[in-house]
Amino acid sequence: MGTLPETKIDYSIHPRVNSTDPVAPRPRPATPAHVIKTDAEAIEIAERLAERFKIGAALRDREGLLPIAELDEYSQSGLWSINVPKAYGGPGVSYATLAKVIETIAAADPAIAQITQNHLAIVGTIDLDGTDEQKRDLFALALSGIRFGNAFSELKSKNVAAFETRVRFEGDEAVVNGEKFYTTGALLAHVVPIVAVTEDGQAYLVFADRDAQGLTVTNNWSSFGQRTTASGGVRIANVRVPKARALHVTSFEHPTIAGPVSQIIQSAIDLGIARGAIEDTITFVKTQSRPWIDSGKETAGEDLFTIAAIGDLQIKLHAAEALLEIAGRAIDVAGADPNEETVSEATIKTAESKVLTTEIAILATNKLFELAGTRSTLAEHGLDRHWRNARVHTLHDPVRWKFYHVGNYYLNGVNPPRHAWN
């Protein structure tokens, strides 16, 4: 991989992560986004974009530079609307294809891939819970290139599913108050969907414009990994939104693919992190690592133990890739015929995928340094970002519970619970 190339960036004006400097809402697209037609086209565009995104990934991570230009190109490519149904003008690609797209982008820059994750999950929620009028309205926004951020999780609530943000209805308006954190995508979004509950516990997804009065997005994401996702906070003070843009969420009250869709995107990001790390490991071993003295070899790539370790990583990577595709196909089946059996199967297959992608992401990013050697830890190479990204993103939901739900399903016939983390 070598020393990072010099890139001319005016750091004085380029927004950085975890900064008190305000980041203005992004302008809406001047021209409509491209609309993808086929699964093959989606994958081809993802591969083309990934080549470009990879070039500055280490630099953006090191300097904490928000991927503004990259994100604009990404959302204009059509990849942000690939799960809009055909009936509403979208490509409606397979979820196996969607997962492949996210994995491809994540292998180049997992922060950029993660900024997409909530947008695509929201598109899926619109399909499951929106009225026909809401679908026409919100899908049209996605197809035009509008980016949805998120204001879901809360830092101070009892658990991830305990929402203290409140919504009330006054005439034709929804009024929202609360505070959110882990709001990936909100800072650079055009629209920020907010999860809020009524006093009697009814859940809504309220679509507020990024520049809505009372909505403040804070650029205070200080994590050591996935740094340039800008997953900071959102304060919501009497934000008023047309009632038509308040979507009543009921998709976890009956069998739907809402949970598996959310999870397969997480799994694809982790797989991409692993693939990117393995690719950089191989490149570094071939070009910069020295053979260990006891090997008797001329190059590091001839070391028998290194060869075996690379083989082990590739086998485990390919197993994770296969299970990710299996999970995507199971989600497609459940989406076409949602019932307790098909949705549980999709949930379990996606949980199995999440286990393997988590394991290979952590293993691959650890092995990188073991195999590449001490010089691979030098700051000039920026390779530490792989481990930091893997360690942080795999914390999204604990895989120790995936083992439990998978085992309980196969051993005792107990279907997994329905929520966004399963």
Side-chain angles (χ1 to χ4, degrees), residues 25-88:
R26 295 296 299 153
R28 295 197 173 205
T31 58
H34 174 66
V35 177
I36 288 168
K37 301 300 182 186
T38 66
D39 290 52
E41 184 188 8
I43 293 171
E44 187 275 328
I45 289 174
E47 290 173 345
R48 190 169 71 240
L49 288 178
E51 287 298 314
R52 290 206 281 276
F53 295 166
K54 184 175 182 178
I55 294 170
L59 177 66
R60 288 190 296 273
D61 173 84
R62 185 184 68 196
E63 301 295 337
L65 302 173
L66 294 172
I68 290 177
E70 292 80 8
L71 211 57
D72 287 345
E73 183 179 11
Y74 186 17
S75 56
Q76 283 295 104
S77 73
L79 290 176
W80 287 52
S81 60
I82 54 175
N83 59 335
V84 172
K86 288 183 170 65
Y88 290 89

Side-chain angles (χ1 to χ4, degrees), residues 180-245:
K180 301 288 187 175
F181 199 64
Y182 305 114
T183 57
T184 304
L187 190 70
L188 303 178
H190 304 111
V191 174
V192 180
I194 306 164
V195 172
V197 295
T198 59
E199 286 299 328
D200 61 354
Q202 297 294 307
Y204 283 82
L205 191 57
V206 183
F207 290 75
D209 287 345
R210 167 70 170 81
D211 58 357
Q213 185 174 354
L215 184 73
T216 304
V217 184
T218 308
N219 182 17
N220 61 340
W221 178 241
S222 63
S223 175
F224 63 70
Q226 293 295 91
R227 296 182 65 212
T228 58
T229 60
S231 302
V234 173
R235 293 192 301 276
I236 309 126
N238 287 317
V239 172
R240 292 180 175 270
V241 176
K243 190 175 181 179
R245 290 248 172 115

